[in-house]
Amino acid sequence: MSRADGLDPNLTPARPDLAAAFLRGRVAADRFVDGVRRQAVRGIVPVRGRPSADAPQTTELLFGETCAVFEEREGWAWLQGEADGYVGYASAAALTARVAEPDHAVAALRCFVYPAPDFKRPPQRALALGARVAARGRDGRWVRVAPDEGGEGWVVAEALRPLETPAGDPAATAERFLGVPYLWGGRSSLGLDCSGLVQVALVEAGIACPRDTYMQEAAFADRAMAGALDGDVPAPGAVARGDLVFFPGHVGVAVDATRMVHANVTRMAVSIDPIAEVAGWTRAAEGRGVTSICRPGA
C-alpha cells in the first residue's frame, strides 16, 4: 500500500491541504504544520480513516498513549500515534494537552480506575492491558494515576507493571485474549484484530511492533526463518512457541510446533487453531497458505 510518492498513507500525515512539517520537501501540500502533543484520556479511543463516526475504525489509542495532532476541526483530531506512527482521526475530546509521561503499563487484561482508593466506589473508567499511566503516589495497595480528565484516579497496584519490566512470553500474552471477540482495528480485551493481537503481545514483551499485518511481516523480514516452509505450510520442526506465522492479510502467534493463537473472522474471536488448518482457510480465500515464519525475539 503506497501513495503516488511511494509513502505508506497509513504512516504518512499528509493530505493535499495539510501535512506534517517533517514531510516538507517530500510531499506536496498547501500547508505544513508542527504537530502538538496530546494524550488519550479515555479507556479506548477509536481512530478512523475519515473524520466521521460511521467511518471504519483503523486502530485504537489506549489510555495514556500519546500522539501528535496536526489539525482539530469540528470535534475531530487528525493525528499520528507516537508508538507506531499510525495516522487517522479521533475524537478531540478524548485527548488532553496535559501530557503525563507514563512510567507504568496496565498488566491486567482489564482493570478499573476509581475516584478514590475504595473498590466500593463507582469506577470512572476501565483500562485495557497495555494502557499507559503515570504513578503519582500510593495509598496501601492503591496507586494514584494520571492522566485523568476527571481529576484523581486510583488503580490497584496488582494491575500495573513498571514500563522497564516487560512481560515475558508473547504467546502467553496472546493466549490471555482467548475468546475475545474479533474487532476490525481493535487492540483491547473488548475486541481486536489479528495484527492488533500480535502488536499488543509483542509490545508487552518489550519488542517494538508496527500496527498492520503487512507492516509486521516487512518489519520482521530479517528474522524470517530460512527453509521454514514446505510449500505454503511449515516444514516439520520449523515452528517454535512465540514465532509469528504470516499468511496473506493474516498473522498469528505460534503456541507450539503446530498450533497458533490468532484473532480471526472464521471464529469471530481469538482462538487457537492448527497452523495447517488456517493455511487451508487462507489458501481457499487468497490462494496461498503460510507466507513466512518469523522469530521476533531472535
Side-chain angles (χ1 to χ4, degrees), residues 110-192:
R110 203 154 185 82
C111 71
F112 292 111
V113 180
Y114 293 87
D118 179 359
F119 64 85
K120 294 182 181 180
R121 296 284 295 275
Q124 296 169 315
R125 73 186 79 258
L127 302 184
L129 186 148
R132 272 27 185 174
V133 299
R136 292 290 190 253
R138 291 287 295 261
D139 184 344
R141 66 183 295 196
W142 293 88
V143 179
R144 183 164 58 90
V145 300
D148 197 280
E149 60 184 349
E152 286 190 339
W154 296 84
V155 175
V156 290
E158 296 92 329
L160 304 177
R161 65 168 177 84
L163 283 181
E164 67 270 17
T165 308
D169 179 12
T173 297
E175 286 174 310
R176 295 175 67 188
F177 288 84
L178 282 172
V180 168
Y182 181 90
L183 177 65
W184 182 264
R187 297 177 59 230
S188 83
S189 58
L190 283 184
L192 32 58

Side-chain angles (χ1 to χ4, degrees), residues 20 37 47 54 62 111 147 207 274:
R37 201 160 184 244
V47 178
D54 62 1
L62 303 182
C111 71
I207 302 170

Side-chain angles (χ1 to χ4, degrees), residues 7-281:
L7 299 174
D8 187 333
N10 290 326
L11 301 174
T12 308
R15 309 182 318 217
D17 65 318
L18 184 66
F22 68 82
L23 291 170
R24 192 185 302 272
R26 300 181 64 197
V27 302
D30 295 338
R31 288 190 303 127
F32 291 86
V33 298
D34 291 313
V36 292
R37 201 160 184 244
R38 296 287 185 266
Q39 189 166 39
V41 286
R42 305 275 173 86
I44 299 170
V45 180
V47 178
R48 306 185 185 279
R50 294 182 288 106
S52 172
D54 62 1
Q57 175 175 287
T58 55
T59 190
E60 294 171 335
L61 290 175
L62 303 182
F63 183 93
E65 292 187 324
T66 51
C67 62
V69 172
F70 304 99
E71 178 188 63
E72 289 189 22
R73 180 188 297 180
E74 298 179 351
W76 290 94
W78 184 46
L79 60 83
Q80 182 174 39
E82 285 192 352
D84 60 15
Y86 216 87
V87 175
Y89 294 86
S91 168
L95 307 174
T96 181
R98 300 187 300 275
V99 176
E101 294 298 338
D103 52 23
H104 284 72
V106 171
L109 196 63
R110 203 154 185 82
C111 71
F112 292 111
V113 180
Y114 293 87
D118 179 359
F119 64 85
K120 294 182 181 180
R121 296 284 295 275
Q124 296 169 315
R125 73 186 79 258
L127 302 184
L129 186 148
R132 272 27 185 174
V133 299
R136 292 290 190 253
R138 291 287 295 261
D139 184 344
R141 66 183 295 196
W142 293 88
V143 179
R144 183 164 58 90
V145 300
D148 197 280
E149 60 184 349
E152 286 190 339
W154 296 84
V155 175
V156 290
E158 296 92 329
L160 304 177
R161 65 168 177 84
L163 283 181
E164 67 270 17
T165 308
D169 179 12
T173 297
E175 286 174 310
R176 295 175 67 188
F177 288 84
L178 282 172
V180 168
Y182 181 90
L183 177 65
W184 182 264
R187 297 177 59 230
S188 83
S189 58
L190 283 184
L192 32 58
D193 58 21
C194 65
S195 56
L197 177 65
V198 167
Q199 186 185 51
V200 168
L202 291 187
V203 169
E204 280 298 289
I207 302 170
C209 181
R211 178 60 181 88
D212 289 343
T213 302
Y214 72 94
M215 300 176 187
Q216 293 169 355
E217 188 165 22
F220 297 116
D222 62 339
R223 302 177 203 178
M225 308 295 290
L229 296 183
D230 181 5
D232 66 357
V233 295
V239 178
R241 182 174 175 86
D243 286 352
L244 301 185
V245 186
F246 289 97
F247 308 78
H250 190 56
V251 63
V253 183
V255 298
D256 56 33
T258 63
R259 300 177 304 150
M260 58 183 263
V261 57
H262 60 141
N264 61 91
V265 296
T266 300
R267 316 282 190 208
M268 283 305 292
V270 177
S271 61
I272 293 177
D273 294 289
I275 296 169
E277 183 177 331
V278 179
W281 302 348

